[in-house]
């Protein structure tokens, strides 16, 4: 049952991720991104990382997506205009994508030939203590840099919106 659920939510995550890129309206892309975050939360639950799943829903699908939607609405972004694709993209796009995926699969198989199988529910590093120690220990600098980058993005959106209003 776990394997079936894994494949279902993995497919949902991939389809929603493709939909994020394909959508022309920014709000539709943001909604698809919520679908990706929700699917990842279920995948974390299947692996036994309940805290990571809850943090995924609360922080990413909740707070960060509200921030994204707020910035999109603040900038008053409309539907993206469709432009014609070049002939090279139309002819070589799909074959090059398939070749790229094949090469990546080959290298992953060569680099990790005999990796152990995932045991659903067997992950023990997803607790509050382990994540807190990693986040505020070894990963403190990236954590703080990310928070500063988010703050700069918010300020940039406010400046852009204020210029349009004047």
């Amino acid at each position: 049952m776990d394997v079936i659920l894994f494949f279902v939510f993995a497919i949902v995550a991939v389809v929603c991720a493709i939909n994020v890129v394909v959508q022309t309206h920014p709000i539709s892309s943001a909604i698809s991104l919520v679908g990706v975050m929700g699917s990842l939360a279920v995948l974390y639950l299947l692996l036994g990382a309940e805290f990571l799943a809850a943090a995924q829903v609360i922080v990413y699908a909740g707070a960060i997506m509200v921030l994204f939607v707020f910035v999109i609405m603040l900038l008053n972004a409309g539907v993206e205009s469709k432009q014609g694709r070049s002939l090279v993209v139309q002819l070589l796009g799909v074959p090059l994508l398939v070749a790229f995926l094949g090469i990546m699969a080959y290298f992953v198989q060569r680099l990790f030939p005999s990796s152990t199988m995932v045991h659903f529910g067997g992950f023990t590093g997803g607790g509050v203590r382990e994540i807190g120690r990693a986040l505020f220990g070894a990963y403190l600098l990236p954590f703080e840099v990310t928070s500063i980058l988010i703050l700069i993005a918010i300020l940039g959106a406010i400046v852009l919106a204020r210029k349009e209003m004047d």
Side-chain angles (χ1 to χ4, degrees):
M1 183 68 179
D2 288 337
V3 175
I4 294 170
L5 284 173
F6 173 80
F7 281 118
V8 167
F9 283 102
I11 290 170
V12 168
V14 169
V15 168
C16 286
I18 291 170
N19 201 25
V20 167
V21 177
V22 172
Q23 285 293 326
T24 57
H25 198 276
I27 296 292
S28 299
S29 290
I31 300 283
S32 296
L33 196 55
V34 170
V36 172
M37 299 301 171
S39 298
L40 289 178
V42 173
L43 293 176
Y44 286 143
L45 278 176
L46 286 173
L47 290 175
E50 293 85 9
F51 179 74
L52 282 176
Q56 180 79 20
V57 170
I58 293 169
V59 174
Y60 291 108
I64 299 297
M65 288 313 302
V66 167
L67 178 68
F68 282 178
V69 171
F70 176 72
V71 168
I72 289 169
M73 295 178 94
L74 188 65
L75 292 176
N76 197 16
V79 177
E80 182 181 343
S81 62
K82 286 272 192 181
Q83 296 181 357
R85 296 181 189 158
S86 69
L87 185 62
V88 174
V89 171
Q90 289 179 350
L91 293 176
L92 296 179
V94 173
L96 286 177
L97 175 67
V98 170
F100 174 73
L101 291 176
I103 291 170
M104 292 303 295
Y106 172 77
F107 281 120
V108 166
Q109 188 177 17
R110 295 283 282 168
L111 291 175
F112 308 108
S114 63
S115 48
T116 60
M117 295 295 294
V118 173
H119 298 289
F120 292 104
F123 181 67
T124 58
V128 178
R129 176 174 289 156
E130 294 87 7
I131 292 175
R133 290 192 190 274
L135 190 60
F136 296 114
Y139 298 106
L140 181 63
L141 182 62
F143 178 75
E144 292 297 329
V145 168
T146 303
S147 64
I148 291 170
L149 285 175
I150 290 173
L151 180 64
I152 291 170
I154 293 170
L155 291 175
I158 291 171
V159 167
L160 286 174
R162 190 169 272 186
K163 283 183 182 178
E164 286 182 5
M165 292 171 57
D166 291 339

